[in-house]
Amino acid sequence: MRVFMRRAFRSFGGCHHSLATHIDKVVKPDWPYAQDSSMERQNLSDLVAFLAVAEERSFTKAAAKLGTSQSSLSHTVRRLEARLGVRLLARSTRSVSPTAAGEELIATLKPALQDIDAKIGAIGEQREKPAGLVRITTSRDAAQTVLLPALVGLMAEYPDIHVELDLDATLVDIVADRFDAGVRLGEQLANEMIAVRISPDLRQALVGSPEYFKRNGIPQTPQDLTAHRCINLRLPTRGGLYAWEFSRGGRDVNVRVEGPMVVNDSIVALDAAVRGIGLAFLMEEMAAPAIADGRLVRVLEDWCEPFAGYHLYYPSRRQPSLAFSLVVDALRHQG
């Protein structure tokens, strides 16, 4: 019991406050079970007081440990005995000892309070060692280029934090689908969401294979693309084909392209372009390795201006866990 009391005092903020006082604060009258439970707030405080006296075999020592007066503690124990209708402590001028009923109650209380002590310790460990599952819906490109590189260090440092990435290019309802957060481009965010920037501005790249350009020539303007074989991308959010968006010097040009293939995945579009099937309009970072090794050639680069990058978004009313907060900090763009 003494070990439990010391740990309980530490767990609830220090021995200068009584444990009973802290329990009163934790078990509030409007707690859903407070009115229905057989161990309501006052009962719990009284039981802790009784156990302290039984352990110390002294009202004086127990009162000092609990931070209350001897008379108040004596009144508390008598109130408990009156409520139970049985004498729990045998008192004399020199000593205090549990009665048979008191011993029976102690045998029940000590394991229960030890279990509470263990649960408090486990909660403390969770605070010191963040743990939990964080579910994020994201596109494949954002997962590969932003999330995975940023989360490597976090997951090595906190092995009890688990991240589930659901690769879905559609704009899902993260609340209805029970996601903690989503990742989308900045201009796609809803107003009621908190948005955290997790990438720099992005650019797209218009690319084709060297063989394609030998056969078909190089476009000089976005409008020239209507005469080229292009790999169309079907948007999962709308079901329609993506109109390629170009911008230069404040002038925006959208081009509806045609070609031999339609895909709904940028990785497949990249592979098709490398194979010479047609031109692809991809995220710059995705196309960069193939451009660097000569498998793809970039054109109309001056028409591909930066635009808002990826953001992590989540409901403003959310009360984030420590694990979630650490994931957000790891993803936050520093720039």
Side-chain angles (χ1 to χ4, degrees), residues 12 25 33 113 179-180 194 234-235 240-241 247 250 270 289 322:
F12 283 106
K25 292 179 180 178
Y33 305 105
L113 291 179
F179 287 103
D180 295 292
I194 293 176
R234 188 173 297 282
L235 294 174
L241 298 181
S247 179
L270 172 66
L322 180 54

Side-chain angles (χ1 to χ4, degrees), residues 42 48 51 60 78 97 143 319 330:
Q42 188 179 68
V48 171
L51 203 54
T60 302
R78 290 187 183 281
S97 61
Q319 182 64 37

Side-chain angles (χ1 to χ4, degrees), residues 194-317:
I194 293 176
V196 177
R197 189 180 185 92
I198 62 173
S199 83
D201 284 347
L202 302 175
R203 296 179 71 196
Q204 287 189 276
L206 178 61
V207 295
S209 69
E211 294 75 17
Y212 174 88
F213 289 122
K214 286 179 184 178
R215 295 193 308 268
N216 300 281
I218 296 177
Q220 301 301 312
T221 69
Q223 291 84 351
D224 292 345
L225 294 173
T226 57
H228 279 263
R229 295 167 63 82
C230 299
I231 302 165
N232 259 307
L233 182 67
R234 188 173 297 282
L235 294 174
T237 53
R238 302 171 188 170
L241 298 181
Y242 169 57
W244 291 7
E245 300 171 282
F246 297 91
S247 179
R248 185 175 72 175
R251 180 187 173 194
D252 297 329
V253 177
N254 293 350
V255 181
R256 294 283 179 182
V257 298
E258 296 182 359
M261 184 172 288
V262 177
V263 300
N264 67 351
D265 188 290
S266 296
I267 295 293
V268 177
L270 172 66
D271 192 28
V274 169
R275 295 173 185 273
I277 293 175
L279 300 182
F281 198 41
L282 307 167
M283 288 293 185
E284 181 180 58
E285 190 167 1
M286 180 182 295
I291 295 172
D293 63 22
R295 288 178 295 152
L296 290 176
V297 175
R298 184 174 188 175
V299 297
L300 297 183
E301 184 172 355
D302 59 335
W303 277 95
C304 299
E305 293 185 341
F307 56 92
Y310 289 115
H311 288 67
L312 186 81
Y313 67 98
Y314 56 94
S316 57
R317 61 184 178 276

Side-chain angles (χ1 to χ4, degrees), residues 40-243:
E40 48 189 290
R41 180 177 58 171
Q42 188 179 68
N43 288 13
L44 185 57
S45 300
D46 292 355
L47 288 169
V48 171
F50 158 71
L51 203 54
V53 174
E55 176 71 20
E56 296 297 329
R57 302 292 177 113
S58 166
F59 279 95
T60 302
K61 292 179 180 179
K65 185 173 290 292
L66 292 177
T68 187
S69 68
Q70 180 179 346
S71 59
S72 176
L73 187 57
S74 178
H75 173 74
T76 297
V77 173
R78 290 187 183 281
R79 180 176 61 199
L80 176 62
E81 290 176 326
R83 192 155 58 248
L84 295 178
V86 64
R87 179 65 63 87
L88 298 174
L89 294 174
R91 305 165 178 82
S92 71
T93 56
R94 295 184 178 181
S95 67
V96 177
S97 61
T99 63
E103 291 285 5
E104 186 177 348
L105 181 58
I106 291 170
T108 300
L109 280 178
K110 289 185 72 172
L113 291 179
Q114 287 169 354
D115 184 58
I116 292 173
D117 186 34
K119 294 296 190 299
I120 291 172
I123 293 171
E125 287 181 5
Q126 288 181 17
R127 183 173 61 248
E128 296 169 4
K129 299 178 181 179
L133 174 66
V134 178
R135 300 183 69 234
I136 301 174
T137 175
T138 178
S139 67
R140 182 196 302 271
D141 177 70
Q144 291 181 318
T145 61
V146 179
L147 273 67
L148 292 182
L151 292 174
V152 169
L154 173 77
M155 303 188 80
E157 184 176 359
Y158 300 104
D160 293 327
I161 292 180
H162 302 280
V163 178
E164 177 182 337
L165 300 181
D166 184 81
L167 303 185
D168 190 343
T170 61
L171 296 178
V172 303
D173 185 335
I174 63 173
V175 176
D177 292 340
R178 298 176 181 265
F179 287 103
D180 295 292
V183 175
R184 291 294 179 262
L185 295 172
E187 66 263 22
Q188 296 178 328
L189 301 178
N191 292 331
E192 67 272 14
M193 295 290 173
I194 293 176
V196 177
R197 189 180 185 92
I198 62 173
S199 83
D201 284 347
L202 302 175
R203 296 179 71 196
Q204 287 189 276
L206 178 61
V207 295
S209 69
E211 294 75 17
Y212 174 88
F213 289 122
K214 286 179 184 178
R215 295 193 308 268
N216 300 281
I218 296 177
Q220 301 301 312
T221 69
Q223 291 84 351
D224 292 345
L225 294 173
T226 57
H228 279 263
R229 295 167 63 82
C230 299
I231 302 165
N232 259 307
L233 182 67
R234 188 173 297 282
L235 294 174
T237 53
R238 302 171 188 170
L241 298 181
Y242 169 57

